[in-house]
C-alpha cells in the first residue's frame, strides 16, 4: 500500500501530513501527488535554496533532491499543526548533517501551507537561516 492510499482524506491537515510522510520516506512521486499543478513553493530568503518554485516536478527537483545531495539525513519533523480552514501552519524541526562541512543542523522552523481541493497550492518556509548557513560553512 503506497503512501497515497493510506489515510486518503482530503482534509488540509491530512494532505500536509501525507507530504511530510512522503518526504520522510524519500517517495518523491507521493510527495508530488500532494501538490497542485500550479503550486507556489517558497523557500525563505537567506536559505540555501531560496526562491519560489512552481509545478510539482520543479519543487522536488530543486528542493527535495538538492537537500538530499547537500545534507545527510535531511529530515523535517512535523511537531505541531495549527489548522484554520485551508491554512495549515506546522511548527517543525529540521535535522541533518551538511555533507561538505560535516556540521550538524538542528533548527526550528514554521511552514505555512494553503490546501485547496485536496492539494497544496502554496507553501512558505520560515527558518533561522543563520543556523543553516553556519552548518553549511
Amino acid at each position: 500500500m503506497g503512501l497515497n492510499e493510506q489515510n486518503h482524506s482530503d482534509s488540509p491537515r491530512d494532505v500536509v501530513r501525507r507530504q511530510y510522510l512522503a518526504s520522510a520516506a524519500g517517495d518523491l512521486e507521493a510527495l508530488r501527488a500532494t501538490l497542485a499543478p500550479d503550486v507556489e513553493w517558497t523557500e525563505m530568503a537567506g536559505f540555501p535554496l531560496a526562491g519560489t518554485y512552481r509545478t510539482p516536478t520543479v519543487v522536488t527537483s530543486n528542493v527535495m533532491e538538492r537537500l538530499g545531495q547537500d545534507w545527510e539525513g535531511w529530515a523535517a519533523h512535523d511537531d505541531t499543526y495549527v489548522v484554520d480552514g485551508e491554512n495549515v501552519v506546522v511548527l517543525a524541526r529540521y535535522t541533518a548533517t551538511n555533507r561538505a562541512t560535516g556540521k550538524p543542523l538542528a533548527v526550528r522552523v514554521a511552514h505555512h501551507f494553503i490546501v485547496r481541493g485536496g492539494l497544496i497550492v502554496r507553501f512558505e518556509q520560515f527558518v533561522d537561516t543563520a543556523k543553516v548557513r553556519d552548518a553549511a560553512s
Side-chain angles (χ1 to χ4, degrees):
M1 180 161 72
L3 290 172
N4 278 342
E5 297 152 44
Q6 66 191 21
N7 186 24
H8 198 77
S9 154
D10 282 343
S11 79
R13 185 199 189 285
D14 290 344
V15 171
V16 169
R17 178 68 179 142
R18 272 201 303 282
Q19 182 273 147
Y20 284 106
L21 290 171
S23 180
D27 187 343
L28 297 184
E29 185 179 340
L31 195 156
R32 284 189 290 270
T34 67
L35 304 178
D38 59 347
V39 66
E40 287 186 15
W41 187 281
T42 301
E43 298 285 312
M44 190 167 177
F47 191 71
L49 308 176
T52 298
Y53 304 94
R54 291 173 177 83
T55 82
T57 301
V58 168
V59 169
T60 54
S61 60
N62 286 286
V63 179
M64 292 74 187
E65 289 179 22
R66 285 189 48 204
L67 288 171
Q69 291 164 7
D70 298 341
W71 300 86
E72 179 72 38
W74 182 271
H77 310 270
D78 51 328
D79 297 330
T80 304
Y81 285 68
V82 181
V83 181
D84 179 18
E86 64 185 12
N87 292 280
V88 180
V89 174
V90 181
L91 305 179
R93 296 171 289 127
Y94 291 153
T95 57
T97 302
N98 187 271
R99 292 186 193 276
T101 65
K103 292 181 187 173
L105 173 68
V107 64
R108 294 290 290 162
V109 300
H111 292 157
H112 176 212
F113 297 86
I114 297 177
V115 181
R116 281 190 200 122
L119 295 171
I120 296 164
V121 296
R122 197 166 305 137
F123 165 88
E124 188 175 4
Q125 172 205 54
F126 300 88
V127 61
D128 184 343
T129 57
K131 286 191 182 292
V132 178
R133 189 174 53 246
D134 289 350
S137 59

